[in-house]
Amino acid sequence: QVQLRESGGGLVQAGESLRLSCAASGDIFSVSLMRWYRQPHGKERELVASITSDGVTDYIDSVKGRFTISRDNAKNTLYLQMNSLKPEDSAVYYCALHELTTYWGRGVLVTVHS
């Protein structure tokens, strides 16, 4: 059974940085596609960034150059470094592990004030 737990969210000012972490239980983390999603208040959930098991990354255009997704397979942990944050980055951020089943964390709130 896979469980995911996000941490690192909070309230920051525009231009500041946060690093989100996602700790995974189980033994399939290292071979799984991992993603960060976000859901702004009142809007649909959107994909933010992806990283394959061998470290290939992809981002949505609005975060390219500002966010970095990474993983530490030895620690079963996924990260999202978020720099130059903007108010429109405010959302609940979720990590997800994609295998035959998709597993979701409960989410962590990021609020960026202008």
Side-chain angles (χ1 to χ4, degrees), residues 56-82:
V56 177
T57 60
D58 195 19
Y59 303 88
I60 57 172
D61 287 344
S62 61
V63 307
K64 283 181 180 177
R66 299 189 298 122
F67 289 13
T68 302
I69 188 172
S70 62
R71 65 194 298 162
D72 185 337
N73 289 337
K75 295 182 178 180
N76 271 19
T77 303
L78 177 73
Y79 303 99
L80 185 68
Q81 178 67 43
M82 306 186 294

Side-chain angles (χ1 to χ4, degrees), residues 1-109:
Q1 175 112 17
V2 174
Q3 292 185 332
L4 303 173
R5 184 172 67 183
E6 302 93 339
S7 61
L11 172 63
V12 296
Q13 297 295 316
E16 294 183 341
S17 299
L18 280 175
R19 188 174 84 153
L20 305 183
S21 299
C22 171
S25 65
D27 57 4
I28 62 172
F29 175 86
S30 64
V31 298
S32 300
L33 172 67
M34 297 297 299
R35 287 175 167 160
W36 285 100
Y37 294 78
R38 66 186 180 188
Q39 186 167 16
H41 182 66
K43 298 184 179 180
E44 294 187 354
R45 191 174 300 187
E46 66 173 351
L47 173 63
V48 175
S50 301
I51 185 167
T52 66
S53 58
D54 54 0
V56 177
T57 60
D58 195 19
Y59 303 88
I60 57 172
D61 287 344
S62 61
V63 307
K64 283 181 180 177
R66 299 189 298 122
F67 289 13
T68 302
I69 188 172
S70 62
R71 65 194 298 162
D72 185 337
N73 289 337
K75 295 182 178 180
N76 271 19
T77 303
L78 177 73
Y79 303 99
L80 185 68
Q81 178 67 43
M82 306 186 294
N83 298 330
S84 302
L85 282 162
K86 304 176 180 180
E88 53 263 43
D89 295 318
S90 298
V92 177
Y93 283 72
Y94 301 88
C95 65
L97 183 152
H98 293 277
E99 277 293 332
L100 294 179
T101 299
T102 295
Y103 299 90
W104 294 91
R106 293 186 175 183
V108 63
L109 179 63

